[in-house]
């Protein structure tokens, strides 16, 4: 789902001339999935898709389409270095025919994936997860098409510890959401070239100093927009903050949705991190002020609620809003009042663990 190219020629030649932007860019580079691992992730996704549809598979002839969702589909995947747990691949298998219950559909996918050569296969409430020996994991979610409109589907929710009466199908349109996000976050030419050049150099690979449109296929732009890099930093910030937490944490899809709404091509990286942090924090504040829990829906399919499993209570959402306000306020203070470089770097390490 390629997006347009944003011509940020009005910005300085060096998109990281601002010291705060430069420090955040270095952190962002440290959490990027290196080019070689990105290619491996894509290859593994394709291999799993072929396996599900293989001759003799319980799903042979019943998979109408397979497509990526989540971080891989919007170029927001990050490395597992540190405490980050976002090094995953998410795929949707759209299954046609049959009238399986939610549990039955998961059973069917689990049988189709049985024997796949990975470290282990684990059944979850809404997907089947494949774990690889190198730390990568791949979630495959089965879906049933709801409507003729592109990819409006329903996915099973069947927690194994719950009675079957509590199982259900949940509305979903990950494909539509990713198209919406990518349309709102076009490639930003100078930012993309500057950060990708450094990423490839760190990986020991050459990167042609060409126009974005002319970059050869063997050196794809893995980093495309300020919005997405800021989103990666906020996901990292969340992972650090909740590293020892039990239970559910603020979902990535919530942050991705707010990032899409907050997108403003041409902004500096620090400004975009602050904008996204405040966007979510203020949305929580507004909900809490009315005595409600945060309710965020898929802009392409309002029946899908991105907050259906988090937050569970007022305390959960207010705690996260406080963390986001503190991050934005700290960045703003560093920008306006200045800070010793060593002090700033130490504080940022606390926030992002890099």
């Amino acid at each position: 789902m390629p997006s347009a190219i944003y011509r940020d020629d009005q910005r300085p030649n060096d998109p990281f001339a601002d010291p705060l932007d430069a420090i955040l860019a270095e952190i962002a580079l440290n959490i990027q999935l290196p080019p070689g691992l990105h290619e491996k992730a894509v290859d593994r996704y394709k291999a799993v898709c072929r396996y599900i549809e293989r001759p003799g598979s319980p799903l042979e002839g019943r998979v109408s389409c397979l497509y990526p969702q989540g971080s891989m589909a919007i170029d927001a995947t990050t490395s597992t270095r540190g405490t980050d747990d976002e090094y995953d691949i998410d795929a949707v298998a759209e299954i046609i025919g049959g009238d399986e219950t939610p549990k039955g559909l998961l059973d069917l996918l689990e049988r189709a994936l049985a024997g796949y050569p990975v470290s282990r296969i684990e059944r979850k409430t809404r997907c089947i997860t494949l774990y690889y020996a190198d730390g990568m994991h791949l979630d495959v979610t089965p879906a049933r098409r709801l409507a003729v409109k592109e990819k409006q589907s329903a996915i099973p929710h069947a927690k194994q510890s719950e009675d079957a009466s509590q199982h259900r199908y949940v509305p979903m349109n990950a494909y539509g959401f990713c198209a919406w996000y990518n349309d709102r976050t076009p490639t930003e030419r100078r930012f993309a070239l500057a950060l990708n050049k450094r990423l490839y150099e760190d990986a020991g690979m050459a990167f042609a100093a060409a126009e974005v449109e002319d970059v050869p296929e063997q050196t794809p732009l893995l980093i495309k927009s300020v919005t997405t890099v800021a989103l990666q930093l906020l996901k990292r910030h969340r992972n650090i903050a909740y590293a020892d937490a039990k239970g559910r944490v603020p979902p990535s899809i919530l942050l991705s949705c707010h990032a899409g709404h907050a997108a403003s091509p041409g902004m500096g990286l620090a400004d975009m991190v602050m904008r996204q942090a405040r966007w979510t924090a203020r949305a929580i504040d507004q909900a809490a002020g009315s005595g409600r829990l945060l309710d965020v829906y898929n802009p392409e399919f309002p029946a899908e609620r991105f907050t259906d499993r988090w937050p569970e209570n007022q305390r959960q959402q207010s705690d996260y809003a406080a963390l986001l306000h503190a991050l934005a306020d700290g960045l703003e203070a560093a920008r306006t009042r200045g800070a010793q470089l060593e002090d700033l770097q130490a504080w940022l390490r606390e926030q992002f663990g890099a």
Side-chain angles (χ1 to χ4, degrees), residues 243-269:
D244 299 321
K246 304 297 181 184
R248 296 201 168 276
V249 303
S252 294
I253 190 64
L254 161 64
L255 300 179
S256 299
C257 184
H258 280 173
H261 284 298
S264 181
M267 289 186 72
L269 181 54

Side-chain angles (χ1 to χ4, degrees), residues 173-306:
N173 189 351
Y175 188 92
F177 171 77
C178 291
W180 172 86
Y181 179 91
N182 289 333
D183 185 61
R184 295 181 63 85
T185 56
T187 298
E188 297 179 61
R189 178 174 173 269
R190 284 185 175 148
F191 178 85
L193 284 173
L195 213 51
N196 277 273
K197 185 174 186 293
R198 179 64 179 275
L199 178 65
Y200 278 94
E201 287 173 349
D202 287 350
M205 302 167 66
F207 182 88
E211 297 291 326
V212 170
E213 302 95 315
D214 299 328
V215 173
E217 201 171 303
Q218 61 268 30
T219 55
L221 289 171
L222 303 181
I223 307 166
K224 297 179 181 178
S225 75
V226 170
T227 299
T228 299
V229 174
L231 169 60
Q232 291 174 310
L233 288 169
L234 281 184
K235 288 165 62 178
R236 177 72 168 205
H237 172 262
R238 175 207 58 190
N239 291 346
I240 295 298
Y242 289 88
D244 299 321
K246 304 297 181 184
R248 296 201 168 276
V249 303
S252 294
I253 190 64
L254 161 64
L255 300 179
S256 299
C257 184
H258 280 173
H261 284 298
S264 181
M267 289 186 72
L269 181 54
D271 288 334
M272 180 51 71
V273 172
M274 288 186 277
R275 179 175 170 84
Q276 289 184 26
R278 287 179 173 140
W279 196 285
T280 297
R282 288 168 179 167
I284 292 173
D285 291 344
Q286 185 176 18
S290 301
R292 297 180 289 105
L293 295 180
L294 182 67
D295 182 22
V296 178
Y297 59 85
N298 184 337
E300 290 296 298
F301 189 38
E304 180 181 5
R305 318 309 285 195
F306 292 152

